[in-house]
């Protein structure tokens, strides 16, 4: 063992969302819409001293084979509105909202995040996502005309523009001096002008600088462009890789990009999404995990999943029978709309070949194949085992912490808070009390200096 | 004052919250707390005060530009409140801290996405358990349009109001795009929702088309309460076609009566005459122990501001008794309630809740307890049936 000091772990909670991770048929599964569920979930996360609560976003109900997909949880509240309401029932917990940069405008989004940061006293974060598809676009004025290759150029300019708006107030403008009648010290507070390829806007931003200066910025893409985008400007990544090897590879790759952008290792936190199954013993946890997987992947779900790869109607196949002998349809995937997972399989013929081999070798039915080919739970075991795994992964630089996705709403986090968190605290790798009040405090991130003020600040080290 | 022999129908009362109050010098008054304008505490305190006064709802004013006294852009003044928080988020922030009062944030149709607005207000309704509304407004300001860069002013006559009506139509269809019982959790068939009860809305209009359905299930009220201010034919048409509550300036003389008649005529023309529509008088109030005290306070505020307050609507100065007289008299124009704009929120809101409300209660024209737990309930509006639901066979 090296004498490296122990890394402190960051933990966050993802409110269970709309995919087959959420086991809605469990009698313990409550509403995913009722505000009481959000209160319960957020208070559990805060009781456990988590860094933040995370909300994903989807802007169109999924459809498959021309019909609205009906097997998974459907429906979610508006991100900003529910986070603002949660700010009233929590004190310290960060509030991270996923907001798309394609189907929004910078002035409005910057305003909403600056407002959320004010109303939560410095707890707002923005997960910038770039879904661009025409299917989602059918719900918006812009429509779906943004080409895929432009999604990050728009996202980048969107974020840059929003940052210009956040920085248009430096925080010293409001005097509010009733005696002299000076409300503003600076008559030009909020002035901005941005000219670019995607946005050509100017005027006055109307929200004064918020407690964190600007929200914490998350990114959740995995492509080359996504990784560059994160390295250039994000404070944290909502990642995909929760295992040791894949995690270390991603971690090294993304952190390795920071220096080129004049940034240091600590300025970007890598927080993969992670599921977990907790039992009294490891054996019990494995048993529950197996059962949960079978609930997550029903026979129908397995067929629907296979259709994503095969890009054709497979409803005639028996989920308990062998994989289809026919090949996937290559080309634009038209069977499943609004599904990120579709894009994971860039070479469906190869995937089908691989899966057929695997199924033959292990004698797996369609359903069994899908269960084994799709994400297993990240952490399975007793509280001690899970605490140990999390700590090991973080100390090995596979992650800086995890965003936990329970499979039950809203009580799915309770056991983790009660049994795993105390063990991490005993190990000295997780806080027992919040040390600060803002999300930047929790994540150990500095408050950004507005561009206007940085003229007098020391220049960053030159990058060669 | 003695109670009239037959007690008149109860009045509805709402207050408009904006900055430190309607008067430009309001922020300089004792107790105005201008350094707290951007905190949740500030708004939560006033919401609690309004709720203690049993008011029907509060509106949260908003705009997508910095406040300005100049219609052409920023005025660069330093002696007035500048900057404000997003109204929908502010309403959501106070929702869990209140229980009965309606929450009506302002939304600018001209520059927003109806899809986003629909789910935001539906969510406000979910987090407040049925107390959400919205106040839809248009913006013809060229400098505000430049914050978005999608379109340029000037806009054609009536275009923005027609667009706002489309905006509301989309928002309403999206609220209905989930039937109330769409979520079935049918373990036997493995279906979480009944897809027959989720609906594409397929709206096609001049400025946008929206496919739907919403991502957010139908809100508790079915349709949160849509409101708008009226001044002129285009806005009357919007009120008539799209709202459950319209606001018109409660001037004295025949103005309000003419406005009410014009809106009612427009309502007939839309074929919605059978649906209830509240028309509220809009009034800025400076409320004190007596008329001279109120006039003196207004004078003092005007001196601080450097200009006499003209406002853009009706202005009242006087006592609670005088205001009660005025409200009961002006409602004869066909008004069922009033949206009061406190001149100085810190002063005039408590004056409304602690002197005007008891005065109206004494006269038997205001509630003594909340009689419903939704905003629709308070306004006597039924929960609408879903336009997409097939009637039970
Ligand atoms: C772990 C993870 C979570 C994501 N969550 C969302 C989400 O909630 N909403 C969304 O629109 N996109 C989501 N995405 C999609 C990405 O943010 C991104 O917009 C998309 O994948 C395209 O970027 P890429 O090609 O760089 O991956 C997620 C991606 C990852 C890897």
């Amino acid at each position: 063992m090296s004498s490296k000091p122990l890394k402190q772990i960051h933990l966050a909670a993802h409110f269970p969302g709309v995919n087959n991770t959420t086991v809605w048929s469990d009698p313990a599964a409550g509403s995913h819409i009722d505000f009481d569920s959000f209160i319960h979930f957020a208070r559990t996360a805060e009781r456990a001293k988590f860094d933040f609560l995370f909300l994903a976003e989807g802007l169109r109900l999924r459809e498959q084979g021309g019909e609205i997909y009906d097997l998974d949880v459907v429906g979610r509240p508006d991100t900003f509105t529910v986070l603002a309401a949660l700010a009233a029932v929590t004190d310290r917990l960060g509030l991270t909202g996923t907001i798309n940069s394609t189907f929004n405008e910078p002035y409005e989004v910057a305003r909403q995040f600056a407002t959320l940061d004010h109303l939560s006293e410095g707890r707002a974060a923005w997960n910038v996502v770039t879904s661009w598809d025409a299917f989602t676009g059918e719900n918006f004025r812009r429509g779906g005309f943004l080409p895929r290759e432009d999604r990050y150029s728009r996202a980048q300019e969107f974020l840059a523009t929003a940052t210009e708006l956040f920085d248009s107030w430096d925080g010293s403008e409001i005097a509010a001096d009733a005696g002299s009648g000076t409300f503003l010290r600076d008559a030009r507070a909020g002035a901005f002008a941005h000219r670019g390829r995607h946005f050509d806007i100017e005027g006055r931003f109307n929200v004064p600088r918020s407690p964190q200066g600007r929200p914490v910025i998350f990114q959740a893409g995995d492509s080359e462009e996504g990784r560059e985008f994160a390295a250039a400007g994000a404070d944290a990544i909502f990642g995909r890789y929760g295992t040791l090897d894949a995690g270390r590879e991603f971690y090294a790759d993304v952190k390795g990009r920071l220096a080129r952008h004049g940034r240091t290792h600590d300025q970007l936190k890598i927080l993969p999404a992670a599921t977990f199954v907790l039992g009294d013993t490891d054996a019990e946890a494995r048993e529950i995990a197996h059962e949960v997987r079978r609930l997550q992947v029903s026979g129908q779900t397995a067929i629907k999943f296979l259709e994503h790869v095969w890009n054709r109607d497979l409803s005639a196949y028996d989920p308990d029978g062998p994989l289809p002998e026919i090949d996937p349809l290559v080309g634009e995937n038209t069977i499943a709309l609004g599904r990120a997972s579709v894009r994971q399989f860039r070479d469906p013929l190869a995937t089908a070949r691989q899966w057929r081999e695997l199924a033959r070798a292990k004698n797996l039915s369609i359903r069994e194949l899908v269960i084994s080919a799709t994400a297993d739970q990240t952490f399975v075991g007793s509280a001690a085992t899970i605490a140990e795994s999390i700590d090991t992964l973080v100390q090995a630089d596979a992650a800086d912490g995890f965003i936990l996705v329970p499979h039950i709403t809203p009580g799915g986090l309770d056991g983790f808070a009660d049994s795993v968190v105390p063990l991490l605290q005993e190990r000295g790798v997780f806080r027992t009390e919040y040390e600060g009040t803002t999300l930047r405090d929790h994540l150990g991130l500095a408050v950004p200096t507005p561009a206007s003020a940085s003229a007098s600040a020391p220049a960053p080290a030159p990058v060669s | 004052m003695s109670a009239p022999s037959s007690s008149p129908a109860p009045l509805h009362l709402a207050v408009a919250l904006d900055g430190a109050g309607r008067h430009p010098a309001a922020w300089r008054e004792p107790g105005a707390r201008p350094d707290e304008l951007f905190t949740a505490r500030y708004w939560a305190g006033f919401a609690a005060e309004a709720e203690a006064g049993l008011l029907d709802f509060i509106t949260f004013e908003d705009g997508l530009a910095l406040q300005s006294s100049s219609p052409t852009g920023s005025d660069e003044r330093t002696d007035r409140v500048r900057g404000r928080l997003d109204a929908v988020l502010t309403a959501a922030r106070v929702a869990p801290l209140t229980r009965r009062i309606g929450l009506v944030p302002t939304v600018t149709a001209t520059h927003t996405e109806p899809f986003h607005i629909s789910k935001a207000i539906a969510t406000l309704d979910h987090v407040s358990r049925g107390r959400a509304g919205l106040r839809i407004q248009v913006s013809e300001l060229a400098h505000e349009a430049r914050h978005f860069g999608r379109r340029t002013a000037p806009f054609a006559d009536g275009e923005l109001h027609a667009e706002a009506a489309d905006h509301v139509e989309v928002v309403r269809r999206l609220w209905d795009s989930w039937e109330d019982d769409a979520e079935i959790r049918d373990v036997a068939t493995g279906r979480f929702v009944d897809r027959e009860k989720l609906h594409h809305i397929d709206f096609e209009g001049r400025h946008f088309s929206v496919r739907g359905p919403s991502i957010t299930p139908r809100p508790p009220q079915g349709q949160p309460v849509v409101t708008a201010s009226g001044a002129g034919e285009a806005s009357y048409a919007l009120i008539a076609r799209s709202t459950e509550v319209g606001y018109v300036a409660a001037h004295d003389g025949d103005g309000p009566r003419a406005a009410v008649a014009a809106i009612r005529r427009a309502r007939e023309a839309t074929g919605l005459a059978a649906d209830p529509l509240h028309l509220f008088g809009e009034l800025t109030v400076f409320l004190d122990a007596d008329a001279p005290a109120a006039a003196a306070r207004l004078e003092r505020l005007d001196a601080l501001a450097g200009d006499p307050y003209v406002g853009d609507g009706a202005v009242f100065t006087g006592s609670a008794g005088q205001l009660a007289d005025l409200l009961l008299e002006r409602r004869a124009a066909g008004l069922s309630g009033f949206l009061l704009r406190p001149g100085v929120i810190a002063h005039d809101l408590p004056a409304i809740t602690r002197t005007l409300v008891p005065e109206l209660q004494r006269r038997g024209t205001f509630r003594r307890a909340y009689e419903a737990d939704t905003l629709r309930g308070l306004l006597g509006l039924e929960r609408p049936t879903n336009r997409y639901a097939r009637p039970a066979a």
Side-chain angles (χ1 to χ4, degrees):
Chain A
M1 274 272 127
S2 73
S3 58
K4 212 166 94 175
L6 286 178
K7 271 170 79 179
Q8 288 297 302
I9 295 170
H10 296 283
L11 288 177
H14 182 308
F15 189 86
V18 295
N19 51 48
N20 69 319
T21 308
T22 310
V23 179
W24 55 261
S25 58
D26 191 305
S31 171
H32 62 297
I33 297 297
D34 194 304
F35 190 55
D36 280 343
S37 291
F38 287 89
I39 295 178
H40 179 105
F41 193 76
R43 288 193 171 151
T44 305
E46 188 163 77
R47 170 163 66 81
K49 316 292 180 219
F50 277 24
D51 292 58
F52 58 92
L53 175 144
F54 185 97
L55 291 183
E57 184 189 52
L59 296 172
R60 176 105 192 241
L61 299 191
R62 293 156 182 195
E63 294 185 9
Q64 189 155 343
E67 291 183 314
I68 288 170
Y69 193 79
D70 60 1
L71 301 178
D72 295 346
V73 168
V74 182
R76 48 180 137 203
D78 175 65
T79 304
F80 282 119
T81 314
V82 82
L83 291 181
L86 281 175
V89 297
T90 54
D91 288 322
R92 289 287 195 274
L93 189 67
L95 302 166
T96 304
T98 298
I99 294 292
N100 178 286
S101 59
T102 302
F103 303 111
N104 284 292
E105 297 297 328
Y107 194 94
E108 192 181 8
V109 168
R111 212 173 162 244
Q112 288 165 315
F113 273 114
T115 296
L116 182 63
D117 207 42
H118 279 290
L119 293 177
S120 65
E121 300 184 290
R123 298 188 277 139
W126 172 15
N127 178 35
V128 187
V129 293
T130 62
S131 314
W132 73 93
D133 56 286
F135 175 72
T136 305
E138 284 177 3
N139 283 335
F140 296 98
R141 292 185 193 239
R142 285 181 61 79
F145 60 80
L146 188 70
R148 181 168 191 276
E149 55 277 16
D150 281 348
R151 73 198 188 289
Y152 277 109
S153 96
R154 179 170 164 110
Q156 216 134 32
E157 195 178 323
F158 196 112
L159 182 57
T161 309
T163 302
E164 287 164 25
L165 296 172
F166 295 134
D167 285 356
S168 67
W169 294 71
D170 69 19
S172 66
E173 294 89 348
I174 295 186
D177 181 2
S180 69
T182 307
F183 186 81
L184 283 185
R185 283 193 192 92
D186 177 0
R188 297 287 299 150
F192 70 92
H194 175 96
R195 309 236 168 289
R197 188 175 147 221
H198 298 277
F199 308 106
D200 182 355
I201 63 175
E202 60 167 1
R204 302 283 291 275
F205 188 51
N206 68 352
V207 185
R209 196 163 185 82
S210 70
Q212 294 188 109
R214 61 183 91 123
V216 172
I217 302 297
F218 281 72
Q219 188 274 350
D222 185 32
S223 60
E224 174 63 24
E225 304 97 297
R227 293 178 185 208
E228 269 307 290
F229 176 74
D235 299 304
I237 294 185
F238 177 41
R240 210 199 273 293
Y241 304 103
T243 60
L244 186 66
D245 292 342
R248 292 186 67 163
E249 194 180 316
F250 181 76
Y251 192 97
D253 174 75
V254 181
K255 294 246 180 177
R257 295 168 189 253
L258 290 169
R260 268 189 281 133
H261 298 280
R263 305 180 69 205
T264 62
H265 194 267
D266 289 343
Q267 287 179 299
L268 180 66
K269 306 294 174 194
I270 297 182
L271 307 172
T275 53
F276 62 92
V277 177
L278 193 57
D280 287 340
T281 63
D282 289 356
E284 189 198 56
R286 275 195 299 273
E287 228 168 85
I288 301 171
H290 180 72
E291 185 50 31
V292 167
R293 291 295 291 144
R294 291 197 44 91
L295 290 170
Q296 289 171 331
V297 185
S298 68
Q300 291 154 291
T301 297
I303 295 290
K304 294 291 184 190
F305 184 83
L306 220 56
E307 289 183 351
H308 297 177
V309 179
W310 260 256
N311 191 20
R312 60 203 306 167
D313 179 3
L314 301 176
S315 53
Y317 285 80
D318 175 5
D320 297 319
L323 287 183
E325 287 303 330
I326 53 167
D327 275 334
L329 283 178
V330 179
E332 196 195 344
N333 196 310
T334 50
I335 188 133
L337 297 169
R339 285 249 172 205
S341 62
V342 167
R343 298 191 285 270
Q344 270 170 257
F345 307 103
R346 298 258 152 86
D347 185 352
L349 289 174
T351 303
R353 222 167 22 244
Q354 228 177 325
W355 285 359
R356 281 199 202 101
E357 277 164 31
L358 183 69
R360 258 195 301 274
K362 293 194 174 175
N363 193 26
L364 302 178
S365 68
I366 288 178
R367 186 177 179 194
E368 289 163 340
L369 180 278
V370 172
I371 287 176
S372 76
T374 58
D376 250 333
Q377 292 95 344
T378 319
F379 302 113
V380 177
S382 66
T385 301
I386 291 183
E388 163 91 33
S389 310
I390 289 177
D391 193 17
T392 303
L393 285 169
V394 170
Q395 302 309 332
D397 282 347
D400 293 313
F402 292 92
I403 299 178
L404 298 167
V405 194
H407 60 261
I408 299 269
T409 324
L413 203 61
D414 300 2
F416 190 98
D418 293 331
S419 66
V420 182
V421 166
L423 296 177
L424 293 171
Q425 289 167 333
E426 269 170 40
R427 285 171 168 258
V429 293
F430 190 67
R431 70 173 68 86
T432 52
E433 280 306 329
Y434 288 108
E435 293 107 38
T437 59
T438 70
L439 178 54
R440 282 185 189 280
D441 292 337
H442 306 339
L443 290 170
L445 300 166
V447 175
T449 320
S452 57
S454 64
S456 54
V463 186
S464 54
Chain B
M1 190 167 299
S2 63
S5 47
S6 69
S7 55
L11 272 182
H12 295 283
L13 277 189
V15 285
L17 300 184
D18 186 14
R22 192 70 165 165
H23 196 285
W27 68 273
R28 300 179 65 178
E29 282 293 275
R33 298 184 290 141
D35 51 338
E36 293 184 19
L37 280 171
F38 306 101
T39 66
R41 183 172 59 244
Y42 180 87
W43 298 96
F46 290 137
E49 179 68 38
E51 187 169 66
L54 306 176
L55 303 187
D56 290 76
F57 60 89
I58 44 187
T59 64
F60 299 83
E61 305 301 292
D62 206 0
L64 295 166
L66 201 62
Q67 300 94 320
S68 174
S69 320
S70 146
T72 59
S74 161
D75 60 9
E76 306 204 6
R77 292 187 79 129
T78 57
D79 64 334
R80 299 195 169 175
V81 167
R82 294 293 178 255
R84 60 177 145 209
L85 300 179
D86 178 88
V88 176
L89 271 73
T90 305
R93 178 63 177 75
V94 303
L97 308 175
T98 51
R99 292 170 47 82
R100 288 289 184 266
I101 194 162
L103 303 168
V104 180
T106 298
V107 162
T108 302
T110 312
H111 301 297
T112 57
E113 291 282 357
F115 190 86
H116 289 317
I117 299 304
S118 173
K119 65 186 162 65
I121 301 300
T123 302
L124 181 62
D125 209 40
H126 283 289
V127 302
S128 68
R129 304 184 189 295
R131 297 182 285 123
L134 84 163
R135 176 174 167 270
I136 198 87
Q137 70 183 8
V138 304
S139 168
E140 49 197 25
L141 301 172
H143 63 280
E144 192 163 316
R146 283 198 295 275
H147 292 162
F148 290 82
R150 287 191 293 107
R151 56 205 306 191
T152 37
F155 302 95
D157 232 21
E159 176 191 349
L160 295 184
H161 284 95
E163 180 191 36
D166 281 0
H167 195 290
V168 174
E169 174 69 14
V170 169
V171 164
R172 288 188 182 280
R173 286 194 201 182
L174 288 168
W175 287 335
D176 278 350
S177 67
W178 288 61
E179 293 184 35
D180 291 314
D181 50 358
E183 184 182 315
I184 52 172
R185 296 192 188 228
D186 186 27
V187 176
T189 60
R191 293 175 307 145
F192 181 80
V193 283
D194 178 353
R195 66 162 71 101
E196 302 299 317
K197 298 188 171 188
L198 297 174
H199 303 277
H200 292 118
I201 66 162
D202 287 326
F203 178 89
E204 301 277 347
R206 241 171 71 73
H207 296 279
F208 40 79
S209 56
V210 176
R211 177 93 167 113
S214 180
I215 60 161
T216 306
R218 193 162 192 248
Q221 294 183 99
Q223 298 270 319
V225 176
V226 179
T227 77
S229 290
E233 286 301 325
S235 57
Y236 295 162
L238 174 66
I239 291 172
R241 186 182 143 194
S242 305
T243 74
E244 281 105 359
V245 181
Y247 315 108
V248 298
H251 293 294
D252 60 3
D254 289 334
R257 196 177 293 277
V260 166
I263 295 168
R264 293 282 172 205
R265 266 197 311 277
R267 187 78 160 178
E268 295 279 343
T270 60
L272 295 171
D275 294 353
L277 171 66
H278 283 287
L279 295 175
F280 278 24
E282 209 174 329
L283 196 63
T284 299
V285 298
F286 297 86
L287 201 49
D288 286 281
D290 52 42
R297 184 159 61 93
L298 178 55
E299 221 169 273
R300 187 161 51 77
L301 284 159
D302 285 349
L304 280 173
D307 295 309
Y309 176 70
V310 279
D312 48 8
V315 180
F316 166 86
T317 51
S319 70
Q322 290 169 320
L323 182 54
D325 288 344
L326 178 143
L327 300 183
L328 295 176
E329 172 218 310
R330 297 234 172 127
R331 76 168 166 180
L335 305 171
S336 51
F338 290 87
L339 175 64
L340 304 179
R341 299 184 168 277
V344 177
I345 298 176
H347 180 104
D348 294 300
L349 174 60
I352 289 166
T353 53
R354 297 172 201 195
T355 66
L356 175 66
V357 163
E359 178 64 34
L360 291 169
Q361 286 170 333
R362 257 193 302 282
R363 300 186 191 193
T365 60
F366 197 68
R367 67 172 64 85
R368 291 180 177 272
Y370 279 117
E371 67 275 41
D373 51 14
T374 67
L375 177 53
R376 279 189 168 269
L378 294 179
L379 293 171
L381 303 169
E382 310 229 315
R383 187 174 191 277
T385 55
N386 191 317
R387 78 194 63 198
Y388 299 110
R390 249 168 271 138

